[in-house]
Amino acid sequence: EVQLHACGGGLVQAGGSLRLSCAASGFTFADYNIGWFRQAPGMQREGVSCISTETGRTRYADSVKGRFTIGRDSAKDTFYLQMNNLEPGDTAVYYCAAHWITPYLTLEERPYDSWGQGTQLTVSS
């Protein structure tokens, strides 16, 4: 069974940094895509960043480009979202998700069919 577990959220001050982690297990396909999404209070869920294990390509939402970095940790099927220069607008519940329609690298929510629990990030101003 495919399982995703997101962790690493917390409370940080504006300008600070935090690293989220997504541990994936039970994957049967060699290649897949990992996406990070977030949902702020009263807002629609939006794609933040994603990565393809097949190509190594990544995508970032304009709002986080240059501040956030997605990548793979040394552990198998473990991914991170490094968040730097955090802003109060980054406050949201962050979700880790996966899909297997490679090489379709997208921040659209539709193809992602496996989701982890959310982890809360709060950025104080």
Side-chain angles (χ1 to χ4, degrees), residues 9-10 16 73 82 86 99 122 124:
D73 286 323
Q82 179 65 45
L86 285 164
H99 77 81
T122 301
S124 62

Side-chain angles (χ1 to χ4, degrees), residues 1 3 12 14 20 42 44 46 51 53 60 63 72 80-82 85 87 101-102 110 112 122:
E1 178 182 353
Q3 293 184 331
V12 300
L20 305 182
Q44 298 295 312
E46 64 172 339
I51 184 171
T53 66
Y60 298 91
S63 59
R72 302 182 72 171
Y80 66 83
L81 182 67
Q82 179 65 45
N85 193 24
E87 306 169 352
I101 310 175
T102 55
R110 286 184 61 186
Y112 294 88
T122 301

Side-chain angles (χ1 to χ4, degrees), residues 31-36 48-60 65 69-72 79-80 99 101-107 112:
D31 294 302
Y32 51 94
N33 294 274
I34 292 291
W36 284 98
V48 176
S49 184
C50 58
I51 184 171
S52 167
T53 66
E54 180 181 16
T55 66
R57 290 179 295 165
T58 60
R59 291 186 184 274
Y60 298 91
K65 185 176 177 61
T69 302
I70 191 171
R72 302 182 72 171
F79 303 82
Y80 66 83
H99 77 81
I101 310 175
T102 55
Y104 187 34
L105 187 66
T106 180
L107 292 177
Y112 294 88

Side-chain angles (χ1 to χ4, degrees), residues 3-125:
Q3 293 184 331
L4 298 172
H5 180 72
C7 65
L11 173 63
V12 300
Q13 62 183 4
S17 298
L18 202 65
R19 190 182 184 95
L20 305 182
S21 181
C22 175
S25 64
F27 286 19
T28 59
F29 294 95
D31 294 302
Y32 51 94
N33 294 274
I34 292 291
W36 284 98
F37 296 79
R38 68 185 183 185
Q39 187 166 28
M43 303 292 290
Q44 298 295 312
R45 187 156 60 188
E46 64 172 339
V48 176
S49 184
C50 58
I51 184 171
S52 167
T53 66
E54 180 181 16
T55 66
R57 290 179 295 165
T58 60
R59 291 186 184 274
Y60 298 91
D62 290 341
S63 59
V64 306
K65 185 176 177 61
R67 300 187 298 118
F68 290 12
T69 302
I70 191 171
R72 302 182 72 171
D73 286 323
S74 58
K76 181 66 175 179
D77 295 326
T78 302
F79 303 82
Y80 66 83
L81 182 67
Q82 179 65 45
M83 306 178 292
N84 298 325
N85 193 24
L86 285 164
E87 306 169 352
D90 296 319
T91 296
V93 176
Y94 284 73
Y95 299 88
C96 175
H99 77 81
W100 293 264
I101 310 175
T102 55
Y104 187 34
L105 187 66
T106 180
L107 292 177
E108 297 294 324
E109 187 173 317
R110 286 184 61 186
Y112 294 88
D113 50 14
S114 184
W115 293 78
Q117 86 297 336
T119 184
Q120 175 72 50
L121 168 67
T122 301
V123 183
S124 62
S125 59

